[in-house]
């Protein structure tokens, strides 16, 4: 049966032209669809809509809320979101947290713009529509289709600034593949909790990436104004010992999430015992991000704060989302 797919175009490299340092989003939804004749060969009725025409660095939580509302109103069999790759790992996860429907939401973009040799946008758009129309990918929330792979929003990272194979899920691997035009599921994403914020997701939640010999300058500045904090600690969740006490004090006032600045793996719970180790910081009241990277942890904390969760509810949310 013919599937109805609604595709929202938000801008990004896939729509950008202009050489010599001047590429900006100029190409609209209709032209991008027209550039992929194979779309007409799918058993799909495609409704392509211009939604924003900006770099993904300029997107806001509010843009995504409006997108989720428009996607729900579309009542299609599948949703495609085409945007810049820079923030896609975050927007995909935000959609995942807010999307209660079985309908798949499949995000994609491009690393090479259409004026470069070998642009990847057309193949990615075709892949995203194919996945969105595949019944096997229903009920898995938001997914990312790129470079013939499908990734779960919960795990996906942008791992390279220019390579077309940029999207990867270091903690899980892809959940599907595109093979000869067919979307093949490899794994299902564990059950996810959908959140319903009561107001704007505007809480101030900076990410504090600690560095070697960090003197705490940014921590003290952030502590004065933040509604919550994500610490991107070393390795399994460690900071220089001089930061442990101020972090513990801050954690008595606002939720402080302990994530890792490493590109994969969990935050530990019970391995190290030195000052500034994960056991020290967790005992001081920090909340473990588990397998969530700092960027996704920040998205989740902003959603949780807008949902009115107290500290215990936030901690429980991170146990569920971080899978640890
Ligand atoms: N600057 C682009 C963006 O909108 C990069 C991309 O699309 O890959 O995120």
């Amino acid at each position: 049966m013919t599937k109805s797919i609604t595709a929202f175009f938000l801008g990004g490299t896939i729509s950008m032209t202009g050489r010599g340092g001047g590429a900006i989003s100029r190409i609209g939804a209709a032209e991008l669809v027209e550039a992929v004749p194979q779309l007409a060969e799918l058993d799909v009725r495609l409704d392509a809509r211009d939604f924003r025409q900006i770099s993904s660095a300029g997107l806001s939580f509010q843009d995504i809320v409006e997108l989720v509302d428009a996607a729900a109103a579309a009542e299609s069999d599948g949703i495609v979101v085409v945007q810049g790759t820079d923030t896609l790992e975050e927007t995909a996860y935000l959609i995942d947290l807010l999307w209660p429907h079985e309908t798949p939401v499949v995000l994609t973009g491009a690393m090479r713009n259409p004026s470069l040799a070998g642009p990847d946008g057309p193949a990615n758009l075709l892949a995203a529509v194919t996945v969105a129309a595949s019944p096997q990918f229903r009920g898995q929330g938001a997914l990312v289709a790129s470079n013939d792979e499908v990734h779960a929003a919960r795990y996906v990272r942008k791992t390279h600034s220019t390579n077309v194979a940029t999207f990867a899920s270091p903690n899980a691997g892809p959940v599907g593949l595109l093979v000869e035009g067919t979307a093949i599921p490899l794994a299902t994403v564990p059950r996810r909790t959908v959140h319903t914020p009561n107001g704007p997701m505007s809480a101030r939640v900076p990410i504090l990436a600690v560095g070697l010999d960090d003197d705490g300058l940014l921590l003290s500045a952030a502590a004065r104004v933040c509604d919550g904090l994500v610490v991107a600690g070393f390795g399994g969740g460690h900071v220089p010992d001089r930061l442990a006490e101020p972090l513990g004090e801050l954690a008595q006032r606002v939720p402080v999430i302990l994530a890792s600045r490493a590109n994969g793996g969990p935050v530990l719970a019970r391995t190290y015992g030195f000052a500034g180790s994960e056991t020290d910081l967790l005992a001081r009241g920090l909340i473990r991000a588990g397998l969530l990277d700092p960027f996704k942890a920040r998205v989740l904390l902003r959603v949780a704060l807008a949902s009115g969760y107290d500290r215990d509810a936030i901690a429980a949310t991170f146990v569920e989302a971080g899978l640890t």
Side-chain angles (χ1 to χ4, degrees), residues 10-16 23 25 54-59 83-88 109-112 158 161 166-167:
L10 278 62
T13 291
I14 197 168
S15 64
M16 290 185 176
S25 184
I54 57 176
S55 154
S56 73
L59 290 171
Q83 65 154 85
T85 60
D86 285 351
T87 60
L88 196 146
M111 296 299 287
R112 295 191 192 131
K158 179 170 178 169
S161 59
T166 188
F167 287 109

Side-chain angles (χ1 to χ4, degrees), residues 5-9 29-30 33 46-50:
I5 304 293
T6 306
F8 295 90
F9 289 76
V33 168
L46 184 61
D47 176 5
R49 302 186 190 175
D50 289 303

Side-chain angles (χ1 to χ4, degrees), residues 126-171:
L126 183 62
V129 174
T130 303
V131 174
S134 303
Q136 298 100 314
F137 288 93
R138 288 181 67 77
Q140 298 205 48
L143 300 163
V144 175
S146 180
N147 199 38
D148 282 345
E149 291 184 345
V150 185
H151 293 268
R154 182 186 282 196
Y155 303 120
V156 73
R157 303 295 315 270
K158 179 170 178 169
T159 64
H160 197 285
S161 59
T162 57
N163 195 315
V164 296
T166 188
F167 287 109
S169 302
N171 286 328

Side-chain angles (χ1 to χ4, degrees), residues 105-215:
V105 180
V106 187
L107 293 92
T108 197
M111 296 299 287
R112 295 191 192 131
N113 76 52
S115 60
L116 299 174
D120 51 330
N124 286 346
L125 179 55
L126 183 62
V129 174
T130 303
V131 174
S134 303
Q136 298 100 314
F137 288 93
R138 288 181 67 77
Q140 298 205 48
L143 300 163
V144 175
S146 180
N147 199 38
D148 282 345
E149 291 184 345
V150 185
H151 293 268
R154 182 186 282 196
Y155 303 120
V156 73
R157 303 295 315 270
K158 179 170 178 169
T159 64
H160 197 285
S161 59
T162 57
N163 195 315
V164 296
T166 188
F167 287 109
S169 302
N171 286 328
V175 295
L177 292 177
L178 275 294
V179 179
E180 297 180 319
T182 301
I184 297 173
L186 296 175
T188 42
V189 187
R191 211 177 152 65
R192 21 170 226 117
T193 303
V194 174
H195 301 264
T196 322
N198 314 316
M201 291 173 283
S202 50
R204 274 186 161 160
V205 180
I207 296 174
L208 178 79
V210 298
L212 180 69
D213 200 23
D214 195 315
D215 65 2

